[in-house]
Amino acid sequence: MGKKNKKAKKLLKQQAAQGINNGATNGFAQGWLGKLQANPTNQLLLGAALGAAAAYVLSNDEMREKIVRSAVRLYSDVAGGVAELKEQVADMQAELQSQAGVSHE
C-alpha cells in the first residue's frame, strides 16, 4: 500500500505542476469566469453593461446600418461559398460517373 500512496502523491504533484504551467494560458479566463459566476453583483453589472451597449448600438442609426450591411455581406459570402462548394461536388460526381462508365465499357 505504500507504493500506491507514493504513486498517487507523485501523480498529484505532476498534475499540480501542470496546472501551474497551464495557468498562464487558461487560468485567467477560468478564474475570471469563475469569479463572475460566483458573484451575483458582477453578473448584474456585466448584464447592465451589455444592455447599455446593446441599447446604444440599436439606437444609433449609423451603427445599426453598418451592422446590417456587414451581416448581409457575410450572408452573401457564405451563400456564395456554399453554391461554389455544391458546384464542385457536382463536378466531382460527374467526373466519377464518367470514369465509372468508361471503365465498364
Side-chain angles (χ1 to χ4, degrees):
M1 194 119 133
K3 285 186 177 182
K4 287 184 181 180
N5 285 338
K6 287 181 182 179
K7 286 183 181 180
K9 286 181 183 180
K10 186 176 180 180
L11 181 63
L12 287 174
K13 285 182 183 179
Q14 288 175 348
Q15 289 174 347
Q18 288 174 350
I20 291 170
N21 292 338
N22 291 338
T25 57
N26 295 335
F28 177 74
Q30 289 174 351
W32 184 77
L33 290 175
K35 288 179 184 178
L36 180 64
Q37 291 172 351
N39 192 345
T41 304
N42 287 346
Q43 289 179 347
L44 176 69
L45 293 175
L46 180 62
L50 290 174
Y56 172 73
V57 167
L58 293 175
S59 66
N60 188 338
D61 290 336
E62 291 177 22
M63 204 72 124
R64 189 174 52 228
E65 185 178 335
K66 286 180 184 179
I67 290 172
V68 169
R69 280 186 188 170
S70 297
V72 169
R73 191 176 309 132
L74 177 65
Y75 175 76
S76 65
D77 288 346
V78 169
V82 169
E84 181 66 29
L85 184 62
K86 285 181 180 180
E87 185 178 324
Q88 288 178 359
V89 169
D91 290 344
M92 287 182 208
Q93 286 177 341
E95 186 177 330
L96 289 173
Q97 287 175 354
S98 68
Q99 287 177 355
V102 171
S103 64
H104 289 292
E105 293 178 0

